[in-house]
Amino acid sequence: MHVPDGFFNAAVSVSAGVVAAAGVAVCLRGAKRELDDRTAPMAGLVAAFVFAVQMLNFPVAAGTSGHLLGGALAAILVGPYTGVLCIAVVLLVQGLFFADGGLTALGVNITLMGLVTVLVGWAVFRVVTKVARGKSAVAVAAFLAALLSVPASALAFTLLFWVGGTAPIDIAAVAGAMGGVHLLIGIGEGLITATTVGAVLAVRPDLVYGYRGMAPALIVNGQPVAPAAAQPVKGGAGPFLLAGLGVTAILASVVSYFASSSPDGLESVAEEKGFIGQAGDHSLGAWGLAEYGEANGVPLWIVGLVGVGITLLVAGAIGYAVRRKKSAVEA
């Protein structure tokens, strides 16, 4: 649901940019509480994984596809503040290197795909896990969180477009179309999120931020100690992170060839409702990696690996910087 240049007037674009910047600033401060020896290394991997999976458009209806937004997934794995930072990095890399999402719409995209999805997804996740606990409950909560976060983001887009879009719309009709198709996309998002969170829980439950404090307490010499989810697994996270990076690289360089070529939910609704013509050309559209290599014939597998690498480096650097600053303050 990457918003292109031209969909919003200057007032909304600037206002959304201010909201996005403020949100990222708050999350940089909040991430200090989340980024520890386990979360910090995961931040880069989560951002790179979201980038890779966003390349995998899946069909949801005749002539329409969807892709992961990733806000709920990131929040559950590394925490809501760090999750927003991960999605913001993905959107920044996509906009600057791949002409995916307009540069003037970057604030809109971070607000819709970062702030809204994380806020809604994390809220739903916390409500569900307060009612039921355990790994199965976490997987169900992850599914519902991701499912609901997508139409929430779509409806937020509709409201913004009604306020400051560059074409007149029937808000009820567009809201119905956006909500309906993105509810279907949300089902796919929910399945991807629940599967991913479940896989990490099965191997390294201590690396799932949203699971901390939920596992049964460990008993040592007859005395309860910290919950199992808070206990790092011996040997460190290195092997898991390397395996996760390998899976991410395969998704971006191999599985991406099988992605649906149909327009995504936003593009499909824009075509149906007649405002697709408002989309402007991307200012970096001539760049070699633009449109994921399609504009200049760059092989998709190269594009995928380059994107994963850049996202990993940027998100990892931010995570390291925030973690280092936190350690300096504590010292």
Side-chain angles (χ1 to χ4, degrees):
M1 197 177 67
H2 295 75
V3 177
D5 291 318
F7 268 20
F8 289 97
N9 61 28
V12 168
S13 297
V14 171
S15 298
V18 171
V19 170
V24 168
V26 169
C27 289
L28 282 169
R29 294 177 62 87
K32 295 177 185 178
R33 299 193 295 271
E34 297 172 347
L35 289 167
D36 53 26
D37 292 338
R38 287 170 287 164
T39 311
M42 279 286 286
L45 177 59
V46 168
F49 182 80
V50 170
F51 175 90
V53 180
Q54 283 197 1
M55 295 178 66
L56 312 179
N57 281 46
F58 49 86
V60 295
T64 304
S65 69
H67 62 72
L68 182 81
L69 299 187
L73 174 62
I76 294 166
L77 289 179
V78 293
Y81 293 109
T82 308
V84 170
L85 298 181
C86 289
I87 302 303
V89 167
V90 171
L91 293 170
L92 181 64
V93 170
Q94 289 171 333
L96 289 178
F97 292 92
F98 304 97
D100 191 7
L103 295 183
T104 62
L106 182 60
V108 172
N109 282 320
I110 291 176
T111 299
L112 297 178
M113 298 175 64
L115 298 176
V116 172
T117 59
V118 168
L119 285 172
V120 174
W122 183 247
V124 172
F125 180 81
R126 294 296 293 166
V127 168
V128 175
T129 53
K130 282 184 180 297
V131 175
R133 290 177 172 255
K135 291 183 178 179
S136 297
V138 169
V140 172
F143 174 81
L144 293 174
L147 167 64
L148 295 176
S149 70
V150 177
S153 180
L155 294 177
F157 164 84
T158 305
L159 180 60
L160 281 182
F161 200 85
W162 181 56
V163 171
T166 53
I169 62 168
D170 179 343
I171 187 172
V174 173
M178 286 289 289
V181 72
H182 284 89
L183 182 61
L184 296 176
I185 294 172
I187 294 173
E189 174 118 4
L191 292 173
I192 294 170
T193 300
T195 300
T196 303
V197 171
V200 179
L201 277 174
V203 180
R204 289 294 302 262
D206 61 309
L207 296 180
V208 179
Y209 181 89
Y211 185 59
R212 296 183 184 183
M214 295 186 190
L218 296 175
I219 305 298
V220 178
N221 296 326
Q223 298 296 321
V225 296
Q231 297 294 321
V233 174
K234 291 182 179 180
F240 173 85
L241 295 174
L242 286 175
L245 183 57
V247 171
T248 300
I250 291 172
L251 291 173
S253 61
V254 178
V255 181
S256 58
Y257 278 95
F258 302 96
S260 172
S261 59
S262 298
D264 68 10
L266 173 57
E267 187 177 356
S268 178
V269 172
E271 290 178 351
E272 177 188 344
K273 300 303 178 183
F275 59 89
I276 190 64
Q278 301 303 117
D281 293 332
H282 199 286
S283 56
L284 299 177
W287 168 243
L289 300 176
E291 300 177 21
Y292 298 94
E294 289 185 12
N296 295 283
V298 181
L300 187 60
W301 68 271
I302 292 179
V303 173
L305 291 179
V306 169
V308 165
I310 294 173
T311 306
L312 180 68
L313 288 174
V314 175
I318 293 174
Y320 174 78
V322 173
R323 174 65 176 148
R324 185 177 180 181
K325 187 174 181 180
K326 173 185 177 182
S327 300
V329 171
E330 292 175 346

